[in-house]
Amino acid sequence: MAATSGLEILEPSIFERGAPGRCGMDLPDPGRDARPAIPGSLLRKRPAALPEVSEVEVVRHFTRLSRRNFGVDLGFYPLGSCTMKYNPKACEEAASLPGFTGVHPLFPAALTQGALSVMWALEEALREVTGMAAVSLAPAAGAHGEWTGLRMIRAALRRRGENRTRILVPDTAHGTNPASSSLCGFQAVEVKSSEAGLLDPEAVARAMDGDVAALMVTNPNTLGLFERDLPRIAALVHEKGGFVYGDGANLNALLGKVRPASLGLDVIQLNLHKTFSTPHGGGGPGAGPVGAAPALEPFLPVPRVVRGEDGSLSLSEDFPDSIGRIRSFHGQFLVLVRALAYIRGLGAAGLRRVAEVAVLNANYVRRRLEGTYHLPYPGPCMHEVVFSDRRQARAGVHTMDIAKRLMDHGFHPPTVYFPLIVSGALMIEPTETEDKATLDEFIAAMLEIAREAEEDPGRLHQAPHRTSVSRADEVLAARKPVLTWPERGESPS
Ligand SMILES: *Cc1c(COP(=O)(O)O)cnc(C)c1O
């Protein structure tokens, strides 16, 4: 076993369990005729070296491992920019109704009116939330939505006979923004934020010329601050013939308060797996619908849900200016069901309350911790707050140490070292689903860690102390990952 990565599981693997001849269940031999006819050339020459284990061993092994996972159903998960909120189980229930799980994308429209009406109603709700003219539910993730929106911008520019090559991206942007820009064939150009951590109209005016296709902007930005000059900035971009792309991955703070379209955005993607009740962080699936203002609506991907004169719904590809299909079939349907259940369950007043409590919670954490942790951009925040390790760093304690120590207190660490413009960033997003008692426990842990940083910094360098896996050597784990389990008796390479 590699003794140095810190990632080793301190108990036998499933391959080390069991004994020859053990098995979970003995099925009767179905007889020669019932066996699938696999050509002899494809049959194994030697039996696979599979573990021979009983059913109870397997169940206990994987249940034990699963209990080492941390999830939002287990505790506070303030991972900034990720909106790890608790998702109502009623939304899961809706998504598991057999009428939804059993529907096939190749069924004719006559048999899928229910599924199509979910899509129609969700598009309508997201139009209301964003103020956009039309919505496509097709993109499968936030970054996929960004890429879709940028392709729509490129198509609109080509239609005008223009071949602009650059996208302005603020230095606070999520990494997917420059990545989507380059995947779309644009060059991302960084725009520096002002001292207040906001996009500066003058900086945008200086960077804006006839070669800039769009400004990509996140509001609230990743410092958790509201871009209050956005309407003026959008006007500047439009004046020079550019578009404004809105990264709406984290819409918690704006729900029912601000319609992004009213700030001058031409296209926006929403992450249903952050704001709208699909659990986020398990690697998918997600959904990143895009909303478009009238100027970009004709370019939305197909198929689109349309309503015929007789009131029936169908999917149509009859949109000549569309950028075309962007994926197989019609979006991550069950994620769409959850989002609609969530929106209908809360109603307009409930969505507004989400925004109010999300912002209140972040500001409560900010006020309670700003005397102890350095707050690089002072003043009220939106749904998340970004601290830095500057004060603790004087004692040699850094963001990583603070994050690891939080695990000993039973909390998932916040997002660390992002946004990049804050050195040693700790980006905390409490979300609206946490109560004051939980926030108080988290705050107490953060204050305790700050005290420990002064009194016993060494203890923080070794943290976490109480988890089943100790601190990993992340460099070694990345450079020399151990990805296979060795045969018995062999040591991993
Ligand atoms: C999460 C996030 C994205 C990317 O969304 P994915 O679904 O992970 O592709 C983009 N921008 C911001 C601001 C985000 O927080």
PDB file of all heavy atoms in Angstrom, residues 28 30 32 76 81 95 123 129 138 160 212 241 244 260 262 265 290 302 329 366-367 369 425 431 435 444 457:
ATOM      1  N   PRO A  28     -29.627 -21.487  -9.736  1.00  0.00           N
ATOM      2  CA  PRO A  28     -29.573 -22.782 -10.424  1.00  0.00           C
ATOM      3  C   PRO A  28     -29.055 -22.613 -11.848  1.00  0.00           C
ATOM      4  O   PRO A  28     -29.293 -21.578 -12.484  1.00  0.00           O
ATOM      5  CB  PRO A  28     -31.037 -23.237 -10.416  1.00  0.00           C
ATOM      6  CG  PRO A  28     -31.858 -22.036 -10.094  1.00  0.00           C
ATOM      7  CD  PRO A  28     -30.979 -21.070  -9.368  1.00  0.00           C
ATOM      8  N   PRO A  30     -29.086 -22.531 -15.511  1.00  0.00           N
ATOM      9  CA  PRO A  30     -30.274 -22.460 -16.373  1.00  0.00           C
ATOM     10  C   PRO A  30     -30.249 -23.516 -17.488  1.00  0.00           C
ATOM     11  O   PRO A  30     -31.213 -23.637 -18.244  1.00  0.00           O
ATOM     12  CB  PRO A  30     -30.177 -21.055 -16.969  1.00  0.00           C
ATOM     13  CG  PRO A  30     -28.725 -20.723 -16.932  1.00  0.00           C
ATOM     14  CD  PRO A  30     -28.132 -21.459 -15.753  1.00  0.00           C
ATOM     15  N   ARG A  32     -27.942 -25.496 -20.713  1.00  0.00           N
ATOM     16  CA  ARG A  32     -27.193 -25.077 -21.885  1.00  0.00           C
ATOM     17  C   ARG A  32     -27.986 -24.145 -22.805  1.00  0.00           C
ATOM     18  O   ARG A  32     -27.507 -23.095 -23.220  1.00  0.00           O
ATOM     19  CB  ARG A  32     -26.823 -26.353 -22.641  1.00  0.00           C
ATOM     20  CG  ARG A  32     -25.629 -26.218 -23.528  1.00  0.00           C
ATOM     21  CD  ARG A  32     -25.275 -27.613 -24.074  1.00  0.00           C
ATOM     22  NE  ARG A  32     -24.130 -27.629 -24.945  1.00  0.00           N
ATOM     23  CZ  ARG A  32     -23.017 -26.973 -24.808  1.00  0.00           C
ATOM     24  NH1 ARG A  32     -22.856 -26.173 -23.810  1.00  0.00           N
ATOM     25  NH2 ARG A  32     -22.022 -27.071 -25.663  1.00  0.00           N
ATOM     26  N   PHE A  76     -23.757  20.734   7.317  1.00  0.00           N
ATOM     27  CA  PHE A  76     -23.581  22.041   6.677  1.00  0.00           C
ATOM     28  C   PHE A  76     -22.496  21.963   5.608  1.00  0.00           C
ATOM     29  O   PHE A  76     -21.426  21.401   5.851  1.00  0.00           O
ATOM     30  CB  PHE A  76     -23.200  23.039   7.777  1.00  0.00           C
ATOM     31  CG  PHE A  76     -23.129  24.473   7.338  1.00  0.00           C
ATOM     32  CD1 PHE A  76     -24.143  25.052   6.589  1.00  0.00           C
ATOM     33  CD2 PHE A  76     -22.040  25.261   7.708  1.00  0.00           C
ATOM     34  CE1 PHE A  76     -24.086  26.392   6.217  1.00  0.00           C
ATOM     35  CE2 PHE A  76     -21.975  26.608   7.350  1.00  0.00           C
ATOM     36  CZ  PHE A  76     -23.000  27.164   6.595  1.00  0.00           C
ATOM     37  N   SER A  81     -20.170  29.338  -4.366  1.00  0.00           N
ATOM     38  CA  SER A  81     -20.366  29.253  -5.812  1.00  0.00           C
ATOM     39  C   SER A  81     -21.015  27.938  -6.231  1.00  0.00           C
ATOM     40  O   SER A  81     -21.258  27.724  -7.409  1.00  0.00           O
ATOM     41  CB  SER A  81     -19.051  29.448  -6.583  1.00  0.00           C
ATOM     42  OG  SER A  81     -19.332  29.873  -7.898  1.00  0.00           O
ATOM     43  N   ALA A  95     -39.803  13.562  -9.345  1.00  0.00           N
ATOM     44  CA  ALA A  95     -38.940  13.072 -10.436  1.00  0.00           C
ATOM     45  C   ALA A  95     -38.942  11.551 -10.512  1.00  0.00           C
ATOM     46  O   ALA A  95     -38.486  10.994 -11.504  1.00  0.00           O
ATOM     47  CB  ALA A  95     -37.523  13.601 -10.246  1.00  0.00           C
ATOM     48  N   GLU A 123     -40.282  26.283 -18.920  1.00  0.00           N
ATOM     49  CA  GLU A 123     -39.784  27.401 -19.754  1.00  0.00           C
ATOM     50  C   GLU A 123     -40.497  28.692 -19.353  1.00  0.00           C
ATOM     51  O   GLU A 123     -39.874  29.750 -19.230  1.00  0.00           O
ATOM     52  CB  GLU A 123     -40.033  27.119 -21.239  1.00  0.00           C
ATOM     53  CG  GLU A 123     -39.082  26.073 -21.809  1.00  0.00           C
ATOM     54  CD  GLU A 123     -39.261  25.882 -23.314  1.00  0.00           C
ATOM     55  OE1 GLU A 123     -39.993  26.687 -23.940  1.00  0.00           O
ATOM     56  OE2 GLU A 123     -38.662  24.932 -23.856  1.00  0.00           O
ATOM     57  N   VAL A 129     -38.809  34.239 -14.223  1.00  0.00           N
ATOM     58  CA  VAL A 129     -37.722  34.486 -13.268  1.00  0.00           C
ATOM     59  C   VAL A 129     -36.631  35.358 -13.898  1.00  0.00           C
ATOM     60  O   VAL A 129     -36.078  36.249 -13.249  1.00  0.00           O
ATOM     61  CB  VAL A 129     -37.123  33.135 -12.798  1.00  0.00           C
ATOM     62  CG1 VAL A 129     -35.753  33.312 -12.177  1.00  0.00           C
ATOM     63  CG2 VAL A 129     -38.065  32.467 -11.790  1.00  0.00           C
ATOM     64  N   ALA A 138     -32.328  22.656 -23.192  1.00  0.00           N
ATOM     65  CA  ALA A 138     -31.465  21.584 -23.699  1.00  0.00           C
ATOM     66  C   ALA A 138     -30.115  21.429 -22.981  1.00  0.00           C
ATOM     67  O   ALA A 138     -29.702  20.307 -22.708  1.00  0.00           O
ATOM     68  CB  ALA A 138     -31.241  21.768 -25.195  1.00  0.00           C
ATOM     69  N   ARG A 160     -25.157  39.205 -39.043  1.00  0.00           N
ATOM     70  CA  ARG A 160     -24.896  40.617 -39.360  1.00  0.00           C
ATOM     71  C   ARG A 160     -23.690  40.787 -40.258  1.00  0.00           C
ATOM     72  O   ARG A 160     -23.284  41.897 -40.565  1.00  0.00           O
ATOM     73  CB  ARG A 160     -24.528  41.337 -38.055  1.00  0.00           C
ATOM     74  CG  ARG A 160     -25.639  41.902 -37.268  1.00  0.00           C
ATOM     75  CD  ARG A 160     -24.965  42.916 -36.331  1.00  0.00           C
ATOM     76  NE  ARG A 160     -25.399  42.791 -34.970  1.00  0.00           N
ATOM     77  CZ  ARG A 160     -24.628  43.035 -33.896  1.00  0.00           C
ATOM     78  NH1 ARG A 160     -23.357  43.368 -34.037  1.00  0.00           N
ATOM     79  NH2 ARG A 160     -25.118  42.934 -32.706  1.00  0.00           N
ATOM     80  N   VAL A 212     -15.001  43.040 -30.206  1.00  0.00           N
ATOM     81  CA  VAL A 212     -15.475  42.300 -29.022  1.00  0.00           C
ATOM     82  C   VAL A 212     -16.892  41.781 -29.273  1.00  0.00           C
ATOM     83  O   VAL A 212     -17.820  42.552 -29.527  1.00  0.00           O
ATOM     84  CB  VAL A 212     -15.445  43.204 -27.764  1.00  0.00           C
ATOM     85  CG1 VAL A 212     -16.124  42.500 -26.599  1.00  0.00           C
ATOM     86  CG2 VAL A 212     -14.002  43.555 -27.411  1.00  0.00           C
ATOM     87  N   GLY A 241     -22.014  47.429 -30.398  1.00  0.00           N
ATOM     88  CA  GLY A 241     -22.456  46.273 -31.185  1.00  0.00           C
ATOM     89  C   GLY A 241     -22.187  44.920 -30.548  1.00  0.00           C
ATOM     90  O   GLY A 241     -22.336  43.888 -31.197  1.00  0.00           O
ATOM     91  N   VAL A 244     -24.223  40.990 -24.219  1.00  0.00           N
ATOM     92  CA  VAL A 244     -23.864  40.755 -22.823  1.00  0.00           C
ATOM     93  C   VAL A 244     -24.350  39.365 -22.429  1.00  0.00           C
ATOM     94  O   VAL A 244     -25.545  39.061 -22.499  1.00  0.00           O
ATOM     95  CB  VAL A 244     -24.461  41.819 -21.887  1.00  0.00           C
ATOM     96  CG1 VAL A 244     -24.005  41.563 -20.454  1.00  0.00           C
ATOM     97  CG2 VAL A 244     -24.052  43.208 -22.344  1.00  0.00           C
ATOM     98  N   PRO A 260     -32.801  39.259 -14.402  1.00  0.00           N
ATOM     99  CA  PRO A 260     -31.523  39.516 -15.069  1.00  0.00           C
ATOM    100  C   PRO A 260     -31.677  40.273 -16.392  1.00  0.00           C
ATOM    101  O   PRO A 260     -30.853  41.126 -16.712  1.00  0.00           O
ATOM    102  CB  PRO A 260     -30.948  38.117 -15.281  1.00  0.00           C
ATOM    103  CG  PRO A 260     -31.523  37.305 -14.151  1.00  0.00           C
ATOM    104  CD  PRO A 260     -32.897  37.865 -13.924  1.00  0.00           C
ATOM    105  N   SER A 262     -33.550  42.646 -17.046  1.00  0.00           N
ATOM    106  CA  SER A 262     -33.711  44.082 -16.821  1.00  0.00           C
ATOM    107  C   SER A 262     -32.376  44.771 -16.559  1.00  0.00           C
ATOM    108  O   SER A 262     -32.290  45.990 -16.549  1.00  0.00           O
ATOM    109  CB  SER A 262     -34.667  44.318 -15.648  1.00  0.00           C
ATOM    110  OG  SER A 262     -34.032  43.916 -14.449  1.00  0.00           O
ATOM    111  N   LEU A 265     -28.888  42.074 -19.828  1.00  0.00           N
ATOM    112  CA  LEU A 265     -28.300  40.833 -20.356  1.00  0.00           C
ATOM    113  C   LEU A 265     -29.059  40.371 -21.599  1.00  0.00           C
ATOM    114  O   LEU A 265     -30.279  40.493 -21.667  1.00  0.00           O
ATOM    115  CB  LEU A 265     -28.342  39.724 -19.303  1.00  0.00           C
ATOM    116  CG  LEU A 265     -27.695  40.018 -17.947  1.00  0.00           C
ATOM    117  CD1 LEU A 265     -27.745  38.792 -17.063  1.00  0.00           C
ATOM    118  CD2 LEU A 265     -26.268  40.497 -18.136  1.00  0.00           C
ATOM    119  N   VAL A 290     -30.796  27.897 -21.117  1.00  0.00           N
ATOM    120  CA  VAL A 290     -30.428  29.265 -21.501  1.00  0.00           C
ATOM    121  C   VAL A 290     -31.687  30.067 -21.805  1.00  0.00           C
ATOM    122  O   VAL A 290     -32.616  29.559 -22.432  1.00  0.00           O
ATOM    123  CB  VAL A 290     -29.499  29.332 -22.742  1.00  0.00           C
ATOM    124  CG1 VAL A 290     -28.085  28.972 -22.370  1.00  0.00           C
ATOM    125  CG2 VAL A 290     -29.995  28.484 -23.877  1.00  0.00           C
ATOM    126  N   VAL A 302     -32.422  23.849 -31.227  1.00  0.00           N
ATOM    127  CA  VAL A 302     -33.625  23.039 -31.457  1.00  0.00           C
ATOM    128  C   VAL A 302     -33.376  21.655 -30.892  1.00  0.00           C
ATOM    129  O   VAL A 302     -32.229  21.280 -30.654  1.00  0.00           O
ATOM    130  CB  VAL A 302     -33.946  22.948 -32.974  1.00  0.00           C
ATOM    131  CG1 VAL A 302     -34.465  24.266 -33.477  1.00  0.00           C
ATOM    132  CG2 VAL A 302     -32.764  22.443 -33.775  1.00  0.00           C
ATOM    133  N   PHE A 329     -31.310  14.235 -27.880  1.00  0.00           N
ATOM    134  CA  PHE A 329     -32.610  14.398 -27.241  1.00  0.00           C
ATOM    135  C   PHE A 329     -32.826  15.785 -26.618  1.00  0.00           C
ATOM    136  O   PHE A 329     -32.298  16.763 -27.105  1.00  0.00           O
ATOM    137  CB  PHE A 329     -32.872  13.258 -26.269  1.00  0.00           C
ATOM    138  CG  PHE A 329     -32.794  11.922 -26.977  1.00  0.00           C
ATOM    139  CD1 PHE A 329     -31.957  10.919 -26.507  1.00  0.00           C
ATOM    140  CD2 PHE A 329     -33.517  11.695 -28.142  1.00  0.00           C
ATOM    141  CE1 PHE A 329     -31.877   9.713 -27.172  1.00  0.00           C
ATOM    142  CE2 PHE A 329     -33.431  10.488 -28.812  1.00  0.00           C
ATOM    143  CZ  PHE A 329     -32.610   9.503 -28.332  1.00  0.00           C
ATOM    144  N   ARG A 366     -20.957  36.898   7.637  1.00  0.00           N
ATOM    145  CA  ARG A 366     -19.977  37.960   7.406  1.00  0.00           C
ATOM    146  C   ARG A 366     -19.795  38.826   8.660  1.00  0.00           C
ATOM    147  O   ARG A 366     -18.669  39.044   9.116  1.00  0.00           O
ATOM    148  CB  ARG A 366     -20.441  38.845   6.234  1.00  0.00           C
ATOM    149  CG  ARG A 366     -19.558  40.051   5.966  1.00  0.00           C
ATOM    150  CD  ARG A 366     -20.082  40.905   4.819  1.00  0.00           C
ATOM    151  NE  ARG A 366     -21.373  41.516   5.099  1.00  0.00           N
ATOM    152  CZ  ARG A 366     -21.551  42.624   5.826  1.00  0.00           C
ATOM    153  NH1 ARG A 366     -20.505  43.268   6.326  1.00  0.00           N
ATOM    154  NH2 ARG A 366     -22.761  43.101   6.057  1.00  0.00           N
ATOM    155  N   ARG A 367     -20.905  39.279   9.235  1.00  0.00           N
ATOM    156  CA  ARG A 367     -20.802  40.172  10.384  1.00  0.00           C
ATOM    157  C   ARG A 367     -20.147  39.486  11.582  1.00  0.00           C
ATOM    158  O   ARG A 367     -19.366  40.100  12.309  1.00  0.00           O
ATOM    159  CB  ARG A 367     -22.206  40.672  10.794  1.00  0.00           C
ATOM    160  CG  ARG A 367     -22.791  41.670   9.846  1.00  0.00           C
ATOM    161  CD  ARG A 367     -22.067  42.998   9.883  1.00  0.00           C
ATOM    162  NE  ARG A 367     -22.391  43.759  11.098  1.00  0.00           N
ATOM    163  CZ  ARG A 367     -21.601  44.647  11.662  1.00  0.00           C
ATOM    164  NH1 ARG A 367     -20.416  44.894  11.135  1.00  0.00           N
ATOM    165  NH2 ARG A 367     -21.964  45.279  12.745  1.00  0.00           N
ATOM    166  N   LEU A 369     -17.971  37.056  11.551  1.00  0.00           N
ATOM    167  CA  LEU A 369     -16.577  36.627  11.356  1.00  0.00           C
ATOM    168  C   LEU A 369     -15.639  37.743  10.910  1.00  0.00           C
ATOM    169  O   LEU A 369     -14.422  37.575  10.938  1.00  0.00           O
ATOM    170  CB  LEU A 369     -16.516  35.463  10.340  1.00  0.00           C
ATOM    171  CG  LEU A 369     -17.115  34.131  10.799  1.00  0.00           C
ATOM    172  CD1 LEU A 369     -16.968  33.086   9.700  1.00  0.00           C
ATOM    173  CD2 LEU A 369     -16.442  33.631  12.087  1.00  0.00           C
ATOM    174  N   ALA A 425      -8.288  32.651  -0.532  1.00  0.00           N
ATOM    175  CA  ALA A 425      -9.729  32.891  -0.380  1.00  0.00           C
ATOM    176  C   ALA A 425     -10.434  31.748   0.350  1.00  0.00           C
ATOM    177  O   ALA A 425     -10.099  30.573   0.184  1.00  0.00           O
ATOM    178  CB  ALA A 425     -10.374  33.091  -1.752  1.00  0.00           C
ATOM    179  N   THR A 431     -26.337  29.357   2.078  1.00  0.00           N
ATOM    180  CA  THR A 431     -27.642  29.071   1.453  1.00  0.00           C
ATOM    181  C   THR A 431     -28.790  29.338   2.420  1.00  0.00           C
ATOM    182  O   THR A 431     -28.591  29.425   3.633  1.00  0.00           O
ATOM    183  CB  THR A 431     -27.802  27.634   0.889  1.00  0.00           C
ATOM    184  OG1 THR A 431     -28.190  26.757   1.934  1.00  0.00           O
ATOM    185  CG2 THR A 431     -26.580  27.148   0.175  1.00  0.00           C
ATOM    186  N   ASP A 435     -30.510  26.939   9.309  1.00  0.00           N
ATOM    187  CA  ASP A 435     -31.099  27.764  10.364  1.00  0.00           C
ATOM    188  C   ASP A 435     -29.988  28.449  11.172  1.00  0.00           C
ATOM    189  O   ASP A 435     -28.800  28.178  10.985  1.00  0.00           O
ATOM    190  CB  ASP A 435     -32.028  26.945  11.259  1.00  0.00           C
ATOM    191  CG  ASP A 435     -31.300  25.822  11.983  1.00  0.00           C
ATOM    192  OD1 ASP A 435     -30.046  25.787  11.958  1.00  0.00           O
ATOM    193  OD2 ASP A 435     -31.978  24.964  12.567  1.00  0.00           O
ATOM    194  N   ALA A 444     -18.916  29.405  15.463  1.00  0.00           N
ATOM    195  CA  ALA A 444     -18.142  29.042  16.654  1.00  0.00           C
ATOM    196  C   ALA A 444     -16.909  28.229  16.249  1.00  0.00           C
ATOM    197  O   ALA A 444     -15.809  28.437  16.786  1.00  0.00           O
ATOM    198  CB  ALA A 444     -19.015  28.254  17.626  1.00  0.00           C
ATOM    199  N   PRO A 457      -0.618  26.512  16.216  1.00  0.00           N
ATOM    200  CA  PRO A 457      -0.729  26.399  14.753  1.00  0.00           C
ATOM    201  C   PRO A 457      -0.356  25.009  14.231  1.00  0.00           C
ATOM    202  O   PRO A 457      -0.913  24.558  13.236  1.00  0.00           O
ATOM    203  CB  PRO A 457       0.226  27.474  14.226  1.00  0.00           C
ATOM    204  CG  PRO A 457       1.025  27.939  15.397  1.00  0.00           C
ATOM    205  CD  PRO A 457       0.268  27.599  16.627  1.00  0.00           C
TER     206      PRO A 457
END
